[in-house]
Amino acid sequence: MSSLEERAPLVAAVLAARAREMQPLQIPGHKWRYQDGATDVVGFDLLHTLVRDDVPLQGGADDNAFSGRVLACAEELYAEAIGADHTRFLVGGSSQGNIAALLTVAGDDQAVAVDRTSHRSALSGLVLSGAVPQWIYPDIHPEFGIPVGMPVAALEGINAEAVFVTSPAYVGTMTNIGTLAAACHAADRTLVVDQAWGAHFDFGVGGYVGALQAGADIAVTSVHKALLGYSQTATISCRGNRVDMHRFNRSVDATATTSPSATLLASIDATRMVMQEFGSDAIGQAVETTREARRILASVSGVVVFDEASLGCVVDPLKIALWLPRAGCTGVELAEALWREGHGVESADNDTLVMTVSLVDERDVVIGIATKLAGMIEKMRGASRSGMPSAVWSIRPEVVMSPRTATFAPRRRVALGDAVGEISAEQFCPYPPGVPLIGPGERVTEEVVAAIEMAGRVGRVAYNSDATLKTIEVVAS
Ligand SMILES: Cc1ncc(COP(=O)(O)O)c(C=O)c1O
């Protein structure tokens, strides 16, 4: 087998740096003083327990001039592995990637078609770029109220050169990117896909392909979600000749730290190596385990497990997402019970419970949790009720001004209940799934007020100015 330098150059560089005696007179300020024996150092416990993984890229894994090109080489290997022309590693998550992607494809006052069920970072990208969203809407399942893919028909009447969609959605449902990309390209549009949840698809899982291979021009992907990267790690990649490479790179640079941790970046390199060398077997096993767990939960009376058969669209094979109203319990109470037993879940609301499996989950653990959860549902079972889908998936706002104009406009604070008819100057975002109920520049309606109050009762609502949710900042007239 080839050397580690060839298989994962950034990983090799970090390991070599850690093995070197370093007494640097440059950042990072912790000066790598986390080695055993350095007990006389101020703050040693902190360094030893929390900072001990950190190796900087500059003056660590590489020299100050980056003459080793270890990051560039690792990015090239990643691009090659996923069929991209160009990949950049990110330490600001897919949030950074979405902002950089929107800065790449749309500028001040330019229209861009954006999936309204996108993560809040898409809204940040609109505020920073000054672009004006023409919201587009995925199909919503008539009974379960969740998105089941962005249809080509959603682009009818759109007058924008770029389209931004999210796939997989938080609940695992997927858009047919191949069909959408063909429609976009036929109309000379650039397609950006927020594939934060779909990093495994880039490495070919069970016949699926990643967004770029399916035809997207830019894809943003969290490495820390479906795969093995350090928290915060993500990639942005592009393919084909629609993307202005200068603008792409400057947008990534504008959103990036100039002092990245090579440890974080190397975990992207290591993940790519692992996926190429062992990934398909491990993912295949995880997919099989997920299928088995889904079968256990689907056998519980009243529980609907989201999959192709129940929804009619492709669902991420590593998601276990349940719809619970017919079993008479809520996702929130089940999530609390699971949390008390040490099992965090990805998201929960009244109707749904969403869990993610990855390639390092052991079969017996996942099956054990699924079996335990089936028992909890039986214990908490109540009368069957109708669903109350989260409004984040179905809100169709009246856009009065651009997100940027409203964000920086003069504002006043009013009671939430008195704000109907006003223009919001801020966003209210239930987290998870991190999809705004209302964004800056949108008209406040009774439906939105009720949705904010309901979201506040079942979970966290974030990124607005009043944590009590009693008031809202609106554009001063
Ligand atoms: C669809 C989607 N896009 C982007 C993000 C942001 O990803 P990150 O946490 O890597 O910044 C999230 C986070 O949950 C998400 O769900």
Side-chain angles (χ1 to χ4, degrees):
M1 183 169 278
S2 46
S3 68
L4 186 61
E5 281 79 3
E6 286 168 317
R7 288 158 63 216
L10 196 44
V11 175
V14 167
L15 296 181
R18 289 195 64 148
R20 234 180 10 243
E21 276 285 310
M22 294 291 284
Q23 291 182 326
L25 293 180
Q26 70 175 116
I27 62 167
H30 62 63
K31 303 288 176 106
W32 315 44
R33 297 296 301 275
Y34 38 62
Q35 297 94 334
D36 284 331
T39 45
D40 55 343
V41 175
V42 173
F44 174 73
D45 286 345
L46 163 75
L47 298 175
H48 187 65
T49 54
L50 290 178
V51 190
R52 64 179 176 177
D53 292 332
D54 185 46
V55 171
L57 180 65
Q58 179 175 342
D62 210 336
D63 60 20
N64 284 357
F66 291 167
S67 58
R69 291 192 74 251
V70 283
L71 174 59
C73 289
E75 290 175 332
E76 282 160 22
L77 286 172
Y78 199 100
E80 201 180 306
I82 67 163
D85 290 344
H86 192 55
T87 292
R88 294 283 304 267
F89 288 2
L90 312 172
V91 296
S94 286
S95 300
Q96 179 195 350
N98 283 344
I99 295 168
L102 281 160
L103 288 169
T104 303
V105 298
D108 226 359
D109 289 333
Q110 259 181 304
V112 55
V114 183
D115 180 344
R116 184 56 177 75
T117 65
S118 294
H119 185 253
R120 65 171 300 275
S121 50
L123 203 47
S124 307
L126 294 170
V127 171
L128 293 172
S129 66
V132 182
Q134 293 186 353
W135 296 120
I136 52 175
Y137 302 94
D139 284 335
I140 300 296
H141 191 279
E143 183 174 11
F144 309 134
I146 55 157
V148 287
M150 184 65 72
V152 168
L155 300 179
E156 267 164 37
I158 289 297
N159 181 18
E161 287 172 16
V163 175
F164 179 106
V165 298
T166 298
S167 178
Y170 214 101
V171 287
T173 47
M174 295 180 62
T175 289
N176 185 331
I177 296 299
T179 312
L180 195 65
C184 284
H185 295 164
D188 206 15
R189 292 181 172 133
T190 305
L191 177 62
V192 178
V193 178
D194 173 355
Q195 186 187 229
W197 288 99
H200 46 312
F201 297 122
D202 279 332
F203 295 92
V205 175
Y208 299 93
V209 292
L212 279 191
Q213 288 163 47
D217 302 283
I218 297 179
V220 172
T221 308
S222 294
V223 184
H224 69 96
K225 291 193 196 303
L227 297 181
L228 306 180
Y230 228 104
S231 291
Q232 302 178 211
T233 53
T235 59
I236 182 169
S237 304
C238 62
R239 186 181 194 187
N241 55 11
R242 286 175 198 281
V243 181
D244 175 338
M245 287 310 299
H246 170 79
R247 196 157 163 163
F248 177 90
N249 280 315
R250 295 301 73 78
S251 299
V252 175
D253 293 343
T255 54
T257 173
T258 49
S259 318
S261 165
T263 312
L264 270 63
L265 297 170
S267 75
I268 306 177
D269 195 29
T271 296
R272 190 263 318 142
M273 182 183 80
V274 167
M275 290 307 291
Q276 284 187 304
E277 295 182 9
F278 317 101
S280 48
D281 283 355
I283 292 257
Q285 181 55 52
V287 167
E288 190 42 52
T289 297
T290 308
R291 207 176 285 140
E292 208 181 321
R294 284 179 176 176
R295 274 198 297 270
I296 291 169
L297 290 158
S299 70
V300 179
S301 168
V303 172
V304 176
V305 175
F306 291 157
D307 59 16
E308 209 155 336
S310 60
L311 295 181
C313 77
V314 176
V315 178
D316 179 350
L318 293 182
K319 275 265 182 334
I320 305 173
L322 312 181
W323 193 76
L324 298 155
R326 286 185 209 146
C329 53
T330 70
V332 174
E333 62 197 5
L334 287 169
E336 281 167 7
L338 284 168
W339 177 254
R340 282 194 293 274
E341 305 234 347
H343 311 303
V345 299
E346 195 53 57
S347 81
D349 60 18
N350 270 320
D351 290 2
T352 61
L353 185 70
V354 180
M355 292 156 283
T356 53
V357 177
S358 90
L359 70 166
V360 295
D361 277 316
E362 289 163 45
R363 177 198 165 275
D364 291 353
V365 173
V366 176
I367 299 307
I369 297 172
T371 308
K372 189 190 283 186
L373 176 57
M376 288 174 175
I377 298 172
E378 289 302 355
K379 254 198 216 139
M380 293 181 188
R381 177 180 293 288
S384 171
R385 58 168 205 277
S386 8
M388 285 185 293
S390 168
V392 293
W393 306 125
S394 53
I395 288 277
R396 294 196 168 215
E398 180 194 345
V399 177
V400 189
M401 57 180 68
S402 79
R404 183 188 355 252
T405 307
T407 296
F408 299 121
R411 57 197 48 231
R412 65 197 164 82
R413 183 173 296 286
V414 297
L416 184 61
D418 295 339
V420 173
E422 305 278 0
I423 305 163
S424 179
E426 58 177 340
Q427 65 176 284
F428 284 70
C429 188
Y431 218 112
V435 176
L437 279 168
I438 188 167
E442 296 176 0
R443 179 93 61 202
V444 183
T445 61
E446 278 175 17
E447 183 196 8
V448 164
V449 170
I452 292 171
E453 288 169 348
M454 159 66 104
R457 281 196 290 277
V458 298
R460 167 183 169 229
V461 177
Y463 304 110
N464 57 303
S465 59
D466 175 1
T468 69
L469 305 183
K470 291 201 165 61
T471 64
I472 177 172
E473 288 194 325
V474 297
V475 175
S477 40

